[in-house]
Amino acid sequence: MNMAAGVIASKARSMLGSQLQVSDYEELLHKRSVAEITNYLKNGTAYATALKDVRENYIHRGQLEDLLKKETFRKLMTLYRYSDASQQVYYKLHLQQIEIDLILSRIRVIISQSFDTAIAELPFFLNPYTCYDLKKLGTVRTFDELLEVVEKTNYYNVLLPHRVKKGNEKEIVYAKIEHQLQKQFYEESFKVINRLLRGESHKKCYDILASRVELDNLSKIYRLKKYFDVDEDVIKKSLFPVCYRIRKATWDELIQCSLPQFIEKVKNGPYHLPLENSDDLYFEHYVEKYMFKLAKKNVYFAQDAPTVYSSYLILIQTELHNIFSIVEGIRYGAVSEDVEQLLVY
């Protein structure tokens, strides 16, 4: 293990040790306001420094989420600073995913025309790191304005064919745009891994990405079978073409079979997702649990920096998602037991 790998692994494991525990989630699930959640995170967890100047009774949901996102990014940058210069393109890949998510979020705003509340959701602290101006993105009201913001980026050529004129926002083909942007990200990520990483780093980082893509494909098949009446060709075109643990012939079977058969094949497939054959099955939850388990194992046992970094990223993003799910539960008055079923730890 070289020095960079040793430092990154050591710091990641140290920070992982300060993440929220089962007892913390049990406490948070019993809170009844954003103020109570903020007070607990401020006084009893590793988020204390990030929230030290916050007045709990005056903070709203958006402010809390923004502060927690900042803290997450700070932790990742702590690891990034020790990375090998030759591999830094790989470490920056997660920023591309953030950029894509923000573009898609703005497209949803354009379609819904809900401009008044959307500006608060943008993480402006990331502006120095993104390839387009987040402040300009926050003012976008038409597809043409969005194209102007991303004109000098790789996203422009993906978005341009889907341009609609002002007043025709309901005609935006969101699903196609989402698929093509994500496809571009996956293609770029595989290229970077194959070009920059060698040996164990290549093997494990490829495993993380390919597993994520295949699990994402399985989620899409489930949703399309469950909620939409579409033919097999539509399902096939919605998937990213990768065969890692699942062979091409098996993909064809998964696309063609009925929903109950699909669930059984996935349960007995290479990922062994313990799916329940119920009407309210939340497929993505099982995907998140699989990736969380894989990432936690990698952080503790991997010997290379890229694998530890990517795995820690999954773990810390999962923790954020857990906190946000609890906050959303309070917002909508959900029963704590129901919210608990959504958490991954």
Side-chain angles (χ1 to χ4, degrees):
M1 182 186 298
N2 62 34
M3 183 176 295
V7 172
I8 289 176
S10 176
K11 286 189 171 295
R13 289 163 189 158
S14 174
M15 289 189 290
L16 181 61
S18 65
Q19 282 196 275
L20 299 182
Q21 305 298 311
V22 174
S23 58
D24 294 313
Y25 287 120
E26 290 174 348
E27 289 290 335
L28 289 170
L29 284 164
H30 287 91
K31 305 305 178 187
R32 289 293 172 261
S33 68
V34 174
E36 289 183 12
I37 287 179
T38 303
N39 182 65
Y40 183 84
L41 293 174
K42 178 180 177 180
N43 294 295
T45 73
Y47 292 103
T49 301
L51 300 174
K52 62 182 177 64
D53 296 324
V54 168
R55 299 174 67 185
E56 296 93 318
N57 292 329
Y58 296 94
I59 192 171
H60 60 69
R61 177 180 62 90
Q63 289 173 322
L64 175 61
E65 292 184 0
D66 189 58
L67 287 170
L68 298 185
K69 288 176 182 177
K70 285 181 181 177
E71 176 62 9
T72 296
F73 189 73
R74 184 195 67 78
K75 290 178 178 178
L76 291 172
M77 289 301 293
T78 298
L79 300 181
Y80 175 80
R81 281 195 289 269
Y82 292 98
S83 64
D84 190 305
S86 65
Q87 297 177 337
Q88 287 183 350
V89 172
Y90 175 77
Y91 293 99
K92 291 180 180 179
L93 282 172
H94 83 277
L95 273 174
Q96 292 184 29
Q97 184 66 73
I98 293 173
E99 290 168 350
I100 289 171
D101 291 342
L102 292 174
I103 289 172
L104 290 172
S105 176
R106 198 62 194 180
I107 291 175
R108 293 194 296 271
V109 170
I110 293 172
I111 294 172
S112 66
Q113 299 286 289
S114 55
F115 300 109
D116 293 339
T117 57
I119 189 70
E121 298 177 0
L122 289 173
F124 290 114
F125 67 90
L126 288 175
N127 207 39
Y129 306 96
T130 53
C131 68
Y132 54 77
D133 192 326
L134 287 181
K135 293 181 180 178
K136 290 182 179 179
L137 182 69
T139 66
V140 164
R141 289 176 172 266
T142 68
F143 207 94
D144 283 337
E145 290 176 354
L146 176 61
L147 288 172
E148 289 178 10
V149 171
V150 301
E151 185 175 7
K152 296 180 179 180
T153 74
N154 293 332
Y155 308 122
Y156 180 81
N157 288 333
V158 176
L159 296 175
L160 183 60
H162 303 291
R163 174 183 175 270
V164 300
K165 294 182 180 179
K166 183 178 181 180
N168 296 329
E169 286 79 13
K170 297 297 182 182
E171 297 177 8
I172 294 175
V173 285
Y174 178 85
K176 285 188 177 181
I177 295 172
E178 180 183 34
H179 173 70
Q180 290 175 11
L181 285 172
Q182 198 62 44
K183 182 173 181 288
Q184 181 187 65
F185 171 75
Y186 286 149
E187 289 174 345
E188 175 63 17
S189 297
F190 278 118
K191 286 179 182 177
V192 170
I193 289 173
N194 289 331
R195 187 176 73 248
L196 294 183
L197 304 184
R198 297 291 181 270
E200 198 68 9
S201 287
H202 180 277
K203 179 182 177 181
K204 289 188 176 295
C205 290
Y206 190 96
D207 177 62
I208 292 170
L209 179 61
S211 297
R212 172 186 168 184
V213 176
E214 286 197 323
L215 289 166
D216 183 46
N217 281 343
L218 290 174
S219 296
K220 287 180 181 177
I221 296 174
Y222 175 79
R223 288 197 304 272
L224 290 171
K225 285 180 178 290
K226 174 77 173 178
Y227 302 108
F228 302 95
D229 184 20
V230 297
D231 58 35
E232 295 169 9
D233 188 55
V234 172
I235 295 177
K236 188 174 294 186
K237 288 180 179 178
S238 73
L239 307 181
F240 182 83
V242 64
C243 295
Y244 178 54
R245 298 185 189 278
I246 302 176
R247 297 178 295 109
K248 184 181 184 303
T250 304
W251 281 115
D252 293 337
E253 292 174 5
L254 290 166
I255 292 170
Q256 294 165 7
C257 68
S258 66
L259 185 59
Q261 291 172 330
F262 171 82
I263 291 173
E264 287 304 311
K265 287 180 181 293
V266 172
K267 286 168 65 175
N268 297 310
Y271 292 100
H272 299 287
L273 301 186
L275 305 177
E276 298 176 4
N277 200 348
S278 62
D279 290 337
D280 59 351
L281 172 65
Y282 181 35
F283 194 96
E284 287 78 3
H285 179 71
Y286 295 93
V287 170
E288 291 166 4
K289 288 180 71 173
Y290 180 92
M291 293 304 297
F292 181 86
K293 184 177 180 181
L294 173 64
K296 197 165 188 178
K297 178 181 177 182
N298 282 337
V299 169
Y300 280 122
F301 298 109
Q303 300 297 310
D304 64 290
T307 300
V308 172
Y309 179 89
S310 295
S311 300
Y312 181 73
L313 172 62
I314 292 171
L315 298 179
I316 200 168
Q317 287 177 331
T318 302
E319 180 171 281
L320 272 190
H321 186 262
N322 286 340
I323 296 172
F324 296 166
S325 293
I326 294 171
V327 173
E328 284 293 288
I330 292 173
R331 182 185 183 188
Y332 293 106
V335 178
S336 60
E337 288 78 6
D338 293 337
V339 176
E340 185 177 14
Q341 298 302 312
L342 300 175
L343 306 185
V344 175
Y345 50 84

